[in-house]
Amino acid sequence: MARLQHQNAIHQADQAKFGLDNAKSDLSKTTITSPIDGIVSRLKSQLGERVLGTSFNMGTEIMTIADLSQMEARVDIGEMDVVLIASGQKARLDVDSFKDRKFNGTVTQIANSSKSSGLTSSSSSQSQEATKFEVRIRINETRLSGRHVRQHRN
C-alpha cells in the first residue's frame, strides 16, 4: 500500500511539473502590447492575477492607456455661465489631482441640451437641481506624470 501511495505521489509531482512547464511555455509566448504610446491611466489587473487573452476571445482588460497629448476635459457648466462660452474660446482648468497647476485649453464643443433639469424632492424638503451643460475642452499642454507605455509591435 505504501509503494502504491509513493508511486501515486510521484505521478502527481510529474503532473504538477508538466503543468508548471506548460505555464512557463505559455508565459514565454505572451506579449502585452498597446496600440498607442501613452500613460497608464487605469490599472484593472495586478501582478499575479490571471487574465484571459486568445485570438478567439476579446480577453481581459488589463489596463487603460491614454494618449495625453489628445486629452479632453468634459466640464459641466451652469445655465447662467454657458451663454458666456463659445467654441474656440481659450480656457484655464483647475484639476483636483494637480493642485498647484492650471491647464490651458480650447473649447471644442458645447452641448445643445442640458444634462439634467427639473425638480428633485425628498420627504423633508424640496430643492431645485441646477441645469448643467456639458462643455468639452481640448487640453493644449499635457506633460503629466504617470506610467509611460511605449508602443510595441511584434
Side-chain angles (χ1 to χ4, degrees), residues 94-100 103:
D94 289 326
V95 180
D96 290 341
S97 56
F98 293 91
K99 294 184 192 259
D100 300 333
F103 294 91

Side-chain angles (χ1 to χ4, degrees), residues 6-145:
H6 179 261
Q7 195 173 16
N8 188 30
I10 291 172
H11 287 299
Q12 287 178 345
D14 288 343
Q15 285 179 332
K17 184 180 179 319
F18 175 76
L20 179 61
D21 290 344
N22 200 13
K24 284 181 180 179
S25 174
D26 288 347
L27 181 60
S28 71
K29 298 173 191 169
T30 301
T31 303
I32 299 171
T33 61
S34 172
I36 62 169
D37 287 347
I39 300 289
V40 176
S41 62
R42 184 178 310 144
L43 190 60
K44 294 191 174 192
S45 297
Q46 299 296 324
L47 181 65
E49 287 185 49
R50 296 186 97 173
V51 295
L52 175 66
T54 66
S55 58
F56 303 110
N57 188 318
M58 246 175 96
T60 306
E61 186 175 343
I62 299 170
M63 65 187 77
T64 301
I65 308 294
D67 178 4
L68 298 182
S69 66
Q70 298 294 316
M71 276 191 54
E72 176 182 80
R74 295 181 183 186
V75 182
D76 291 336
I77 305 292
E79 64 183 325
M80 299 298 283
D81 296 320
V82 77
V83 295
L84 304 172
I85 298 172
S87 258
Q89 182 178 346
K90 300 293 180 201
R92 281 183 63 83
L93 298 169
D94 289 326
V95 180
D96 290 341
S97 56
F98 293 91
K99 294 184 192 259
D100 300 333
R101 190 157 175 212
K102 295 188 186 310
F103 294 91
N104 295 314
T106 306
V107 175
T108 58
Q109 184 178 358
I110 302 168
N112 292 327
S113 59
S114 65
K115 289 183 81 172
S116 60
S117 62
L119 296 175
T120 57
S121 61
S122 62
S123 58
S124 61
S125 66
Q126 236 182 15
S127 63
Q128 189 161 16
E129 189 177 308
T131 303
K132 304 277 186 183
F133 291 82
E134 183 180 87
V135 175
R136 295 183 183 194
I137 301 170
R138 171 86 48 198
I139 297 177
N140 298 333
E141 51 182 284
T142 54
R143 282 176 276 167
L144 305 176
S145 61

